[in-house]
Amino acid sequence: MKLIELKEVNKTFQDGRKTIEALKPTNFSVEGGEFVAIIGPSGSGKSTFLTIIGGLQSPTEGEVLIKDQKFSNLDEKERAKKRFNEIGFILQASNLIPFLTVKDQLKLVNKIKKTKLDEQRVENLLSELGINKLMNKYPSDLSGGEKQRAAIARAMYHNPSVILADEPTASLDTDRAFEVVKILARETKKQNKATIMVTHDERLTEQCDAVYVMKDGVLKNKQEE
Amino acid sequence: MFLAWREIKYSKTRFVLIIGVVVLIAYLVYFLTGLAYGLAQENRMSIDKWDADGIVLADESNLNINMSMFDKEQMEEIEASEKASVGVAPSVVQLENQTSEESKVNITFFGVDKEEFIFPEVIEGEEFNKDKEAIANISLKEEEGFEIGDEVSLAGADLTVEIVGFTDNAKFSVGPVLYINQPTYQQVRASGFGEREEEIISAIVVRSDAEELGDVNIGSDDLELYSISEFISNLPGYTAQVLTFGLMIGFLVLIAAMIIGIFIYVLTLQKSSILGVMKAQGISSAYISRSVIGQTFLLSVMGVFTGLGLTLLTGLLLPAAVPHQYNFIFLLSITALLITVAVAGAFLSVRTVVNIDPLEAID
C-alpha cells in the first residue's frame, strides 16, 4: 500500500519578477516497509521536497496523499493534526525538546492526545534503540548518536505512517551515522513505515531500498541515471 | 501544564529569578495596600465605630468637624430616628508625672453622652461615671504605656483626666481618641477661651431609617446635614491620601503585568526554534499557547503567594506604630488582580507562537 503519494506536485517561488521552479512536476510514492533516500547537492530542492511531503508548505500545483487520503489540500489546522498523527520527523540537530527527559519527550505525545503513557511500549521502543537506560536523562546529557536514537524513538512512538528524516546524521561521525541509518532501516521494516531520508552523504544509502537524486528541482531514480 | 511545569523544573535558576521579581512586586503591592488601608482606617475608624448614617455640622464649618461648633440646644430641633451629640477637640496630653517632650501625645477628645448611641464599648476597665474621667483608645496602652488609673494632664491647661477604661478602634486623624463626658468636654474646649454660658458641641450624629437620610430634618439654617461617606471623604487629607495610594498600587499592578509579559515574551522568542520544531511535528499553536499561558499562571501564582506570605509575616513583625492593616477582601482582590494581569501579559506571546513558521525548523 502506498503510504505517501505525490501526484504532479510542483513548487514555484516568485523572486522579484523571476519565477523560480524549486520543484518541477513530480510523481513519487513510498510503500510501507520501504526506506527511500534522497540525495543531491544543497540548494537542489531536497528540503522543499521534504517540507511539501511533510505538509509544512503547500505545493503550487498537484497534491500529496497520505494513505490515499487528502493531505496537502487540507487547511493548515487539519494538516497540522494529520501531521501530528501520521508523520514522524527526525531533524538534523535532533528534534528533542531540551527541557524534557527522553521519557517525557514521548509522554508529551500522550499529553497532547490526552491518552495514558504506555509504559510497556516506551520500554520496548527504547530498548530496541538501545537507550532504555537513558530514559530519565535530558538531551543535553546524551551524546550525538544517543540524541538521534531518542529522536527516532520520538518519531516512531506515536506510530505514524511516514517517517521524514532530514539529514539525520549531519552531526555524527561516520560510525555513528551508519549505526543510526541501520536502526532507521531496521525499524522501517519492522514497523512497516514509509521512511524518506534526505542526505548529502551517498555512502549512507546502502541500507535503502531506493535512492533518488534531486538536481535542479528534478527528482530521478538513481538507477535511471 | 505538562510542558510548562517541566520547563520550570529544568531551568530552575531562570524561573526562580522571574518568580523573585514577581515576589518583590507582589510584596510591595500588598504592603502598600496594607499601609494605605491602615492609614485610611486610622483616619476614619472612630467615625465608622459610630455606625451612623449622617452628621449635622455647623453650616460655616466647611465639613471640618474641628471648626464646627454650635449650641447643644439645637439638637432638640433635629428629627431623626436616632441622634447623638459629640464634641470634638484636638489636644496634646501627657502622663501627669512625666515632663519630657517625647511623652507628649497628640490625641482627639470626643465629648459624648453616656446615654447616646455613639458611646464606645469598653473592652478593659469601666465606663466613666463622673467628670474628668476618660475612656482611651487601647493604642495608648500598647504604644504609650497608659494604664487604668493614670492621671493625664492637658498641655496648656490646668486640667487632668483619669483613664478609667479602654476601647478599641478609636482613632481619628491617625491619632487616638479619648472619650470624656460632655461637661468635661466643655472645660477642655473652653480652656484658653474662658467659660461659656451655653453648652457647645461640634456635631450631631444621626441614624436614619430612610434612604439618603430622607427622614432627617434639621430645622435650622445654621446647620447642615451630610452623609457619613461625604463627611469621611472630606476629612482633611483623606481623599488625597487614598487617591495617591490607589494610583501607586494601580501602577504597580500594571508594571507587574508588563514585567511578567516581557519576561515571558523574551523566553518565548528564545524558544522559538524549539517551538518551530514542535509545530513541525504537528503540535498545535493552541497547545503551545496554552502551555505558555499556563506557565505564566504557575509563575505568578508562586510569586504572588510568596509575596503574600512575606507581607503577612512582615505585618506580624512591624511595630504597632506603623499604620498597616490587612483586609481579607483587599488581599483577595489584589491577589486575583495580580494573577489576572500577569496572565493577560502572557497573551503578548501568543501572537509570537502563532507566527512561528515550522518551515524554519527544517531549513
Side-chain angles (χ1 to χ4, degrees):
Chain A
M1 184 193 175
K2 289 173 183 169
L3 293 183
I4 188 138
E5 186 175 12
L6 275 68
K7 286 182 174 168
E8 290 296 320
V9 166
N10 76 339
K11 183 77 185 175
T12 55
F13 293 105
Q14 286 294 330
D15 186 15
R17 271 170 298 169
K18 254 178 25 200
T19 303
I20 297 170
E21 205 163 21
L23 184 64
K24 302 256 164 58
T26 305
N27 286 301
F28 175 78
S29 66
V30 186
E31 307 211 345
E34 205 180 349
F35 184 21
V36 172
I38 296 180
I39 55 174
S42 57
S44 59
K46 284 181 317 212
S47 282
T48 309
F49 182 68
L50 198 74
T51 51
I52 289 175
I53 295 178
L56 298 176
Q57 55 180 336
S58 305
T60 310
E61 282 169 302
E63 67 172 329
V64 181
L65 302 174
I66 291 181
K67 292 202 275 192
D68 289 332
Q69 285 173 337
K70 273 208 279 190
F71 178 52
S72 63
N73 292 347
L74 297 171
D75 70 43
E76 211 176 308
K77 226 174 165 178
E78 290 296 311
R79 216 161 62 217
K81 220 166 164 184
K82 199 150 196 129
R83 192 158 70 228
F84 181 72
N85 288 316
E86 298 290 1
I87 296 179
F89 276 98
I90 303 163
L91 305 177
Q92 300 190 23
S94 99
N95 46 352
L96 301 173
I97 298 167
F99 51 84
L100 295 182
T101 60
V102 173
K103 187 177 173 184
D104 282 342
Q105 307 273 349
L106 307 184
K107 200 170 171 184
L108 176 63
V109 175
N110 293 103
K111 286 286 165 185
I112 292 169
K113 283 185 161 175
K114 298 196 170 77
T115 52
K116 272 204 94 68
L117 180 77
D118 184 346
E119 296 276 355
Q120 196 55 51
R121 181 166 160 70
V122 172
E123 181 66 39
N124 289 346
L125 186 61
L126 294 183
S127 355
E128 183 106 323
L129 295 169
I131 48 169
N132 53 332
K133 290 204 171 62
L134 306 171
M135 206 184 271
N136 295 317
K137 295 257 187 257
Y138 289 101
S140 55
D141 301 329
L142 305 181
S143 70
E146 288 163 347
K147 265 186 218 171
Q148 283 311 52
R149 280 189 271 174
I152 294 172
R154 165 65 182 85
M156 296 270 183
Y157 179 65
H158 62 301
N159 211 2
S161 313
V162 183
I163 305 278
L164 298 181
D166 184 19
E167 306 271 9
T169 59
S171 52
L172 305 178
D173 61 43
T174 318
D175 286 349
R176 297 277 158 226
F178 272 110
E179 201 183 302
V180 166
V181 173
K182 218 183 251 169
I183 290 171
L184 209 49
R186 188 182 74 208
E187 295 303 315
T188 303
K189 302 282 176 249
K190 215 167 181 174
Q191 309 208 30
N192 206 33
K193 311 283 178 214
T195 303
I196 301 166
M197 174 175 74
V198 166
T199 180
H200 62 270
D201 191 345
E202 241 176 284
R203 292 170 305 161
L204 295 173
T205 59
E206 285 166 18
Q207 305 278 338
C208 298
D209 301 307
V211 179
Y212 291 84
V213 181
M214 178 71 84
K215 206 174 169 190
D216 297 327
V218 181
L219 189 71
K220 272 193 193 142
N221 196 314
K222 203 184 173 194
Q223 284 161 345
E224 293 169 16
E225 276 209 321
Chain B
M1 289 294 185
F2 176 77
L3 281 178
W5 189 241
R6 298 293 143 116
E7 191 186 3
I8 293 175
K9 261 176 34 189
Y10 182 75
S11 317
K12 277 191 207 76
T13 326
R14 176 181 300 185
F15 286 101
V16 162
L17 286 175
I18 296 176
I19 292 172
V21 173
V22 180
V23 168
L24 289 178
I25 294 178
Y27 181 56
L28 193 57
V29 171
Y30 283 125
F31 196 65
L32 269 182
T33 312
L35 281 179
Y37 182 68
L39 207 53
Q41 282 303 304
E42 296 205 353
N43 262 304
R44 59 183 285 175
M45 220 182 242
S46 58
I47 299 161
D48 290 328
K49 195 178 163 76
W50 291 343
D51 191 19
D53 301 306
I55 184 166
V56 177
L57 296 169
D59 190 24
E60 306 270 282
S61 69
N62 190 30
L63 266 149
N64 183 346
I65 198 168
N66 289 326
M67 295 307 293
S68 176
M69 170 161 127
F70 53 90
D71 191 339
K72 196 181 177 184
E73 276 170 16
Q74 283 183 274
M75 188 171 174
E76 272 147 44
E77 293 165 37
I78 292 173
E79 294 166 17
S81 74
E82 274 184 273
K83 52 188 178 178
S85 60
V86 59
V88 174
S91 186
V92 177
V93 297
Q94 194 168 27
L95 282 175
E96 213 196 8
N97 45 13
Q98 293 189 355
T99 48
S100 69
E101 278 298 312
E102 294 82 54
S103 64
K104 289 183 176 168
V105 188
N106 285 317
I107 56 110
T108 304
F109 278 112
F110 275 16
V112 294
D113 214 326
K114 215 173 161 182
E115 278 70 46
E116 290 173 350
F117 73 83
I118 63 173
F119 188 77
E121 197 184 322
V122 172
I123 57 167
E124 204 182 316
E126 50 199 54
E127 297 177 355
F128 53 68
N129 287 308
K130 55 181 197 283
D131 289 2
K132 299 187 183 174
E133 287 186 342
I135 300 169
N137 184 41
I138 192 77
S139 70
L140 281 173
K141 178 180 177 172
E142 289 161 354
E143 291 164 32
E144 307 293 339
F146 285 29
E147 291 294 344
I148 288 168
D150 281 355
E151 290 283 337
V152 174
S153 61
L154 266 74
D158 184 18
L159 189 66
T160 60
V161 294
E162 185 193 350
I163 308 283
V164 294
F166 288 105
T167 186
D168 59 356
N169 294 331
K171 282 207 168 183
F172 182 73
S173 293
V174 203
V177 172
L178 277 179
Y179 293 88
I180 47 179
N181 70 7
Q182 290 200 337
T184 314
Y185 172 72
Q186 299 307 317
Q187 293 179 35
V188 170
R189 182 115 205 184
S191 60
F193 294 101
E195 295 290 325
R196 279 172 186 274
E197 287 195 3
E198 68 271 33
E199 212 179 329
I200 296 293
I201 53 171
S202 303
I204 292 162
V205 181
V206 295
R207 281 181 179 166
S208 153
D209 295 329
E211 268 181 47
E212 295 183 355
L213 305 167
D215 60 345
V216 180
N217 197 342
I218 54 173
S220 164
D221 287 347
D222 301 338
L223 302 181
E224 195 69 61
L225 172 69
Y226 303 97
S227 70
I228 286 290
S229 59
E230 192 183 358
F231 173 66
I232 288 175
S233 56
N234 278 287
L235 287 175
Y238 179 80
T239 304
Q241 208 178 79
V242 169
L243 280 180
T244 307
F245 274 113
L247 206 69
M248 276 160 70
I249 292 164
F251 270 113
L252 272 176
V253 170
L254 211 70
I255 290 169
M258 282 181 64
I259 289 180
I260 297 172
I262 291 167
F263 268 133
I264 295 294
Y265 182 66
V266 171
L267 284 184
T268 308
L269 285 183
Q270 274 188 344
K271 274 188 297 198
S272 61
S273 66
I274 304 163
L275 300 182
V277 169
M278 288 167 72
K279 285 178 83 168
Q281 290 173 341
I283 299 173
S284 65
S285 294
Y287 184 85
I288 300 172
S289 301
R290 273 205 300 278
S291 160
V292 168
I293 290 166
Q295 191 172 59
T296 314
F297 179 75
L298 284 176
L299 293 179
S300 55
V301 164
M302 287 189 279
V304 166
F305 279 94
T306 313
L308 181 60
L310 276 179
T311 314
L312 295 179
L313 201 71
T314 316
L316 291 179
L317 300 176
L318 221 53
V322 182
H324 64 99
Q325 210 173 336
Y326 300 105
N327 170 308
F328 179 70
I329 294 169
F330 275 169
L331 290 184
L332 198 74
S333 45
I334 291 279
T335 307
L337 189 68
L338 277 171
I339 293 173
T340 313
V341 293
V343 170
F347 276 87
L348 190 71
S349 302
V350 168
R351 223 174 58 110
T352 317
V353 171
V354 172
N355 285 342
I356 290 171
D357 189 352
L359 254 185
E360 281 165 28
I362 308 291
D363 290 337

